[in-house]
Amino acid sequence: MVRHLLDVDDLTPAELETVLDRAADIKAAQAAGHGDEPFDNQTLGMIFEKPSTRTRVSFETGMTQLGGHAIFLGPDDIHLGSGEPVKDTARALSRYVDVVMARLFDHDDAEELAEYATVPFVNGLTDDAHPCQTLADLLTIREHFGGFEEVRVAWVGDGNNVAQSFVLGAAMVGLDLTVATPEGYEIDDEVLARADAVGEAPATTHDPEAAVEDADVVYTDVFVSMGQEDRREEKLAEFEGFQVTTDLIGDRKLMHCLPAHRGEEVTDESIESENAIVWDQAENRLHAQKGLLVWMSEQE
């Protein structure tokens, strides 16, 4: 059966645990100088409407390390939804490649690609969701804390795509999560309902200090996401008081999906502190996605 990943709750909690186990095993084997190449002579087609350092390099490198090959399809290489319907792109690519990954603006386009693709499809990011980041986040937390039991995480900032996928992933593994956002930037009610369906929805507040009080980890992301540059001054004003500083972090771990807008959602001092585990997160994009790709290939 062909499996797709539009958001993290397309997996069951047991499947999510299996993907994380696959990722951990692959990471350990690579560190030991071992590993196999299950994707020999296979190709990953990568569609990019939005640029990215981590998504492109981690997927392309991961596919190479698994013995396969990746093709980059940027805005000038493919006419997604303009030169031809999205469903036609999905069907044509499925005749050429073994897996499709797309980093897009509109989540509806990702859903249509998945609907018509006859090979596994992975959502590399949309304006609504970032499941691959959540896989890396959970792998990072599991490594640093030995699991998820009794780990408390505070999300401080925008209830954006990264936050929404993380809310779902946290519910699935049983993380104790509190989300602090300014009014008007909360997690979507529909996402909270889905979190309740797979576990327990997070506590919510508009007070960053209250959110981090009992936390082991503080997680933040940019206040001004890609495509929102014309709203920069407006959003920065609305997020006043939500900047993650060393005082807010205290002795807690700091997570950030990167790239960081230093001086906006987080201070430079915080990112450079010993509390920051952001580079482990970044590295784990590679391992988590390899684990996902291997697991998806086992479902066919």
Side-chain angles (χ1 to χ4, degrees):
M1 179 180 67
V2 174
R3 293 293 298 269
H4 304 306
L5 186 77
L6 286 162
D7 210 340
V8 68
D9 59 340
D10 284 340
L11 303 170
T12 66
E15 289 171 341
L16 173 56
E17 194 71 28
T18 299
V19 169
L20 296 177
D21 288 342
R22 290 281 189 282
D25 291 344
I26 290 169
K27 183 175 182 178
Q30 180 177 322
H34 306 300
D36 53 19
E37 298 184 346
F39 289 171
D40 181 39
N41 206 33
Q42 295 192 32
T43 301
L44 168 68
M46 306 188 302
I47 301 172
F48 279 80
E49 285 187 335
K50 292 184 177 186
S52 171
T53 300
R54 276 149 294 277
T55 299
R56 178 176 180 180
V57 176
S58 60
F59 267 107
E60 191 162 338
T61 300
M63 196 65 182
T64 299
Q65 291 176 350
L66 291 170
H69 171 67
I71 298 175
F72 175 82
L73 300 167
D76 296 330
D77 303 312
I78 193 170
H79 304 289
L80 188 71
S82 56
E84 69 176 0
V86 171
K87 60 185 179 182
D88 289 2
T89 297
R91 289 184 285 206
L93 281 179
S94 295
R95 299 297 181 102
Y96 303 137
V97 304
D98 302 281
V99 187
V100 176
M101 184 278 295
R103 181 177 168 91
L104 309 169
F105 286 96
D106 194 338
H107 194 76
D108 289 344
D109 287 343
E111 291 181 339
E112 189 168 357
L113 282 168
E115 180 181 356
Y116 288 94
T118 57
V119 297
F121 171 81
V122 178
N123 175 10
L125 174 141
T126 65
D127 285 345
D128 291 354
H130 199 349
C132 292
Q133 182 63 52
T134 294
L135 296 179
D137 296 339
L138 295 177
L139 183 60
T140 304
I141 290 170
R142 195 170 83 163
E143 288 176 346
H144 278 269
F145 293 92
F148 303 111
E149 188 176 353
E150 298 183 1
V151 181
R152 298 180 177 89
V153 182
W155 175 277
V156 177
D158 194 359
N160 61 12
N161 51 357
V162 176
Q164 297 197 147
S165 288
F166 187 73
V167 161
L168 295 170
M172 293 172 72
V173 300
L175 274 177
D176 185 338
L177 175 63
T178 300
V179 176
T181 66
E183 293 187 16
Y185 292 94
E186 297 87 355
I187 302 295
D188 286 350
D189 288 341
E190 183 262 346
V191 172
L192 293 176
R194 286 161 57 195
D196 256 337
V198 295
E200 185 175 340
T204 59
T205 180
H206 300 301
D207 183 349
E209 293 282 354
V212 306
E213 185 174 353
D214 297 318
D216 302 297
V217 180
V218 179
Y219 193 171
T220 192
D221 189 17
V222 295
F223 296 157
V224 183
S225 297
M226 196 176 301
Q228 297 179 340
E229 289 79 8
D230 59 336
R231 297 185 57 209
R232 175 174 297 278
E233 296 307 317
E234 172 195 350
K235 290 201 73 176
L236 291 182
E238 292 175 331
F239 280 81
E240 186 175 354
F242 280 79
Q243 185 182 71
V244 173
T245 64
T246 54
D247 286 341
L248 186 71
I249 297 168
D251 61 357
R252 305 169 184 91
K253 300 295 186 183
L254 169 65
M255 294 176 64
H256 192 305
C257 62
L258 303 177
H261 294 171
R262 301 179 187 219
E264 292 184 5
E265 77 280 357
V266 66
T267 61
D268 183 82
E269 184 182 13
S270 299
I271 287 283
E272 296 296 338
S273 74
E274 292 183 356
N275 300 77
I277 56 175
V278 300
W279 311 115
D280 295 336
Q281 280 179 273
E283 178 185 343
N284 280 335
R285 286 290 303 275
L286 171 66
H287 307 299
Q289 289 160 186
K290 287 165 70 176
L292 174 67
L293 290 171
V294 169
W295 178 84
M296 292 177 92
S297 71
E298 294 169 349
Q299 308 311 300
E300 296 184 71

